[in-house]
Amino acid sequence: GAGVSQTPSNKVTEKGKYVELRCDPISGHTALYWYRQSLGQGPEFLIYFQGTGAADDSGLPNDRFFAVRPEGSVSTLKIQRTERGDSAVYLCASTLRPGGNPNTEAFFGQGTRLTVV
Amino acid sequence: ILNVEQSPQSLHVQEGDSTNFTCSFPSSNFYALHWYRWETAKSPEALFVMTLNGDEKKKGRISATLNTKEGYSYLYIKGSQPEDSATYLCAFLGFHAGGTSYGKLTFGQGTILTVHP
């Protein structure tokens, strides 16, 4: 596709349920990032993939959160036993080449708005 | 913990007014500073990627300056239009071991701009 695609655009789920959020990055982009924006705050880093491997998952808030990128393109963010505090906009971004060029631009999807009721 | 601050948090201006926002960031380990515009229900869109102290960049009515020694950047909008209404985010990119960055962005909380006709 032309840009980063995220699905679904909106997700409402009940507390305690499991959800999956999908990100389809720009073709050829090796680096993929997940961010979360809670109300009134800027986006916060969750996890970074270089290819298939999670190179930095230091932003994942706890072990209910997990992300995969099995073939080095599409990524899925998985949240188990959702809580009301997980409600946020989850953003995905990809870049062509993350290191070595400071002018590298990140391209974002439109986000998934998750509401836990 | 990196501290990236934006001010003001929100701004209401009349069509035709010029306005500016501030982003402050750590002055050490600087690699790049990104500005994004994020309209509701759309993807954050990169406005500028700034890398050199003293950089000034311009795109139409929008321009930005960078001071890496004191750790701040200004975004200016000349002759604001209603379509400029959006959240403006700055994001800091720092060096990691090896003298490069893997693209992990640290965002400010954003400035919400509303331009009234």
Side-chain angles (χ1 to χ4, degrees):
Chain A
V4 178
S5 176
Q6 290 187 246
T7 54
S9 54
N10 279 285
K11 175 73 177 176
V12 180
T13 191
E14 291 181 349
K15 179 174 176 293
K17 298 287 189 184
Y18 168 83
V19 295
E20 290 190 351
L21 312 180
R22 176 188 166 108
C23 173
D24 200 340
I26 293 173
S27 179
H29 280 194
T30 59
L32 184 147
Y33 311 81
W34 284 98
Y35 294 87
R36 175 171 77 170
Q37 190 203 26
S38 302
L39 197 61
Q41 299 180 24
E44 294 178 316
F45 171 80
L46 295 176
I47 187 169
Y48 156 61
F49 286 91
Q50 178 56 41
T52 60
D56 182 352
D57 64 357
S58 62
L60 295 178
N62 52 59
D63 61 7
R64 295 186 297 106
F65 288 74
F66 189 71
V68 294
R69 195 185 184 199
E71 296 178 0
S73 56
V74 171
S75 176
T76 305
L77 179 65
K78 308 180 181 194
I79 311 174
Q80 298 178 319
R81 303 183 305 280
T82 51
E83 300 177 356
R84 292 197 178 89
D86 299 335
S87 298
V89 175
Y90 290 81
L91 286 168
C92 175
S94 69
T95 64
L96 181 60
R97 189 177 59 245
N101 181 355
N103 291 295
T104 297
E105 178 182 332
F107 294 85
F108 282 83
Q110 81 282 14
T112 293
R113 182 175 295 278
L114 176 67
T115 304
V116 182
V117 297
Chain B
I1 296 177
L2 296 176
N3 204 23
V4 180
E5 298 282 342
Q6 290 187 248
S7 63
Q9 286 191 324
S10 65
L11 196 54
H12 291 256
V13 302
Q14 291 298 127
E15 182 175 356
D17 288 349
S18 293
T19 187
N20 64 85
F21 327 129
T22 305
C23 173
S24 63
F25 52 86
S27 54
S28 58
N29 292 327
F30 177 86
Y31 194 71
L33 193 284
H34 293 211
W35 280 101
Y36 289 89
R37 175 170 59 201
W38 193 5
E39 296 178 66
T40 303
K42 294 187 178 179
S43 307
E45 171 200 359
L47 291 173
F48 304 111
V49 177
M50 309 186 78
T51 58
L52 298 175
N53 185 44
D55 253 357
E56 291 189 25
K57 295 202 172 182
K58 187 175 180 181
K59 185 184 288 189
R61 295 180 291 100
I62 305 177
S63 59
T65 61
L66 180 69
N67 183 324
T68 60
K69 294 188 187 308
E70 297 181 38
Y72 64 84
S73 176
Y74 293 133
L75 188 79
Y76 301 92
I77 302 178
K78 185 177 178 181
S80 303
Q81 299 296 309
E83 58 264 31
D84 296 329
S85 298
T87 297
Y88 290 81
L89 293 163
C90 71
F92 172 84
L93 207 51
F95 274 107
H96 291 269
T100 62
S101 166
Y102 63 80
K104 172 183 172 181
L105 295 167
T106 301
F107 284 88
Q109 73 273 39
T111 293
I112 302 171
L113 174 67
T114 304
V115 183
H116 300 279

